[in-house]
Amino acid sequence: MHYLTRRETFNAAHKLAIADWTDERNREVFGKCANHNWHGHNYDLRVTVCGMPDPITGFVMDAKVLSTIIKQEVVDQLDHANLNLDTDWFTGVLPTTENLTLKIWEHLERPITAAGSALYRVRLYETENIYADYYGPAGRT
């Protein structure tokens, strides 16, 4: 099995807060992420696909095709957006890094499969020190 990872970036704002909680409780749990005036991140997205290389091209998947899919399905929808307000991805769900990886997976799996590859992992860096991995509903090690 071979793995190919494509990196893309996007910038987005969000706020983590539970509407039914007090401001104090939200700050206690979410810290600066509960800021009333939102806050933003320069997200660094790594999408990994897997499969056997094509015997003619040697590709698991054409990296340009993968880039196009990621841009159309994720970057074009999230870049410079307020995740809480500008998308329907997070209706009733907090836009945490963990939830973002799940939603990104949901938007990428079908077009990547249609392009003849398999989605293996979505890794999203929120900062240089924090990232989340998602390996799909079955999980992987």
Side-chain angles (χ1 to χ4, degrees):
M1 184 69 63
H2 287 237
Y3 302 87
L4 173 73
T5 301
R6 177 72 192 194
R7 176 182 179 260
E8 300 290 346
T9 61
F10 63 94
N11 305 311
H14 70 156
K15 177 170 68 172
L16 302 181
I18 306 295
D20 293 339
W21 290 2
T22 64
D23 289 344
E24 294 75 25
R25 177 77 174 133
N26 277 309
R27 277 194 301 278
E28 177 184 313
V29 173
F30 299 113
K32 293 179 182 179
C33 292
N35 184 355
H36 285 286
N37 295 313
W38 317 94
H39 69 283
H41 297 285
N42 299 318
Y43 289 100
D44 183 334
L45 174 62
R46 314 286 173 99
V47 175
T48 302
V49 296
C50 63
M52 296 306 295
D54 180 275
I56 297 170
T57 66
F59 295 159
V60 170
M61 181 175 187
D62 184 328
K64 290 179 281 188
V65 171
L66 180 56
S67 177
T68 298
I69 291 170
I70 296 168
K71 287 177 183 173
Q72 289 175 345
E73 299 296 327
V74 177
V75 175
D76 290 349
Q77 296 184 49
L78 301 182
D79 192 34
H80 289 85
N82 181 314
L83 301 176
N84 299 76
L85 302 176
D86 298 334
T87 73
D88 61 359
W89 288 30
F90 298 101
T91 303
V93 177
L94 288 178
T96 62
T97 304
E98 296 89 341
N99 284 333
L100 264 167
T101 59
L102 168 64
K103 295 298 184 180
I104 291 169
W105 180 284
E106 291 172 351
H107 283 81
L108 292 178
E109 185 175 29
R110 188 173 337 154
I112 287 173
T113 300
S117 196
L119 185 55
Y120 177 75
R121 179 186 70 200
V122 171
R123 173 173 282 176
L124 184 65
Y125 287 86
E126 183 178 89
T127 70
E128 64 184 23
N129 298 318
I130 298 172
Y131 67 89
D133 286 331
Y134 185 66
Y135 291 90
R140 292 189 175 88
T141 56

